[in-house]
Amino acid sequence: MKTYEKAPAKINLMLDVLHKRPDGYHEVEMVMTMVDLADRLEMVELPRDTIIISSQVGYIPLDEKNLAFQAARLIKDRYDVKRGVHIHLDKKIPVAAGLAGGSSDAAATLRGLNRLWGLNIPMIELQELGAELGSDVPFCVTGGTALATGRGEVLHSICNPPQCWVVLAKPPINVSTQEVYTRLRSDQISKHPSAADMIAAIQSGSFQEVCEQLGNVLEDVTLKLHPEVQQLKEAMMRLGADGTLMSGSGPTVFGLVSKESKVPRIYNGLRGFCREVYAVRLLT
Ligand code: ATP
């Protein structure tokens, strides 16, 4: 018995941090959607009670540190499953990029094992399991477009933004999400993007308005630490993107582009100084 799952990358169309909570997490407001850049997971049932993770890439952990491993162990423990699984991760999403690759793999594992083992766990319960693995996992379980509040796990589904091209570029630097949040002074944020205005822009179906409402308060921190991320944003705009933003805590920058004819110039221009560039569609 085997099954396959696609684990798409997410982007934040807006990300605001309201304040730091007594439990140490930050209270956030994010509008998230998915793009057609995805890892592919193959899950093969094993007769013995074990979890094996493999991947074609050598730079992610394949042990209990892997989020797909953690998702498989959680579902096995919670539903008392005595069977095992071999999960192969065909990684396409850049790692530690602000695109929630690991979270999406975890979510795909929950969906896939629910099917493989015939557990019939309702979506809402899969999301609750996901919240135990990471703040972005519940959103990745269902995908689509959503407003996420709380620490990111409280979801309100909204309609998809108008279809467009998304050019993603990941500079060759490592950004620690934890460091970015630690450096952020939520009481000193100069301009908070508005979730309500982004949702209104999406609901109006106006691509231009969506571009105008893009905003991410974590840019203040990451762009200061890594000026090349700012340069990448400027290059994207110069090359013709209609709007740009850093996703999550970075360092990936994405540009939204309405006209397909503009995409090759932006893609090729960025490839000149950035190795990891992708041109994909929104997953609508
Ligand atoms: P987020 O936006 O949720 O912070 P990210 O996109 O910045 O996530 P990931 O690609 O999820 O980052 O990787 C973060 C870290 O998690 C990596 O350093 C990697 O070692 C570890 N990791 C664990 N499981 C996975 C996985 N299945 N795929 C990629 N990285 C994983």
Side-chain angles (χ1 to χ4, degrees), residues 164-165 167 239-242 257-268 279 281:
C164 63
W165 284 90
V167 182
L239 289 162
D242 298 296
V257 189
S258 65
K259 281 207 186 95
E260 184 169 358
S261 57
K262 283 189 185 174
V263 173
R265 179 165 181 259
I266 302 171
Y267 178 88
N268 292 325
R281 301 282 281 168

Side-chain angles (χ1 to χ4, degrees), residues 84-97:
V85 66
H86 176 182
I87 303 171
H88 182 77
L89 301 172
D90 185 7
K91 289 293 297 179
K92 294 284 185 285
I93 305 173
V95 174

Side-chain angles (χ1 to χ4, degrees), residues 10 39 59-61 65-68 89 91 94-103 105 136 177 249-250:
K10 67 98 220 230
D39 296 342
Y59 46 77
I60 58 165
K65 290 197 199 76
N66 195 296
L67 278 158
L89 301 172
K91 289 293 297 179
V95 174
L99 299 172
S103 302
D105 289 350
D136 280 346
T177 301
S249 54

Side-chain angles (χ1 to χ4, degrees), residues 98-113:
L99 299 172
S103 302
S104 198
D105 289 350
T109 301
L110 294 176
R111 289 193 304 268
L113 294 183

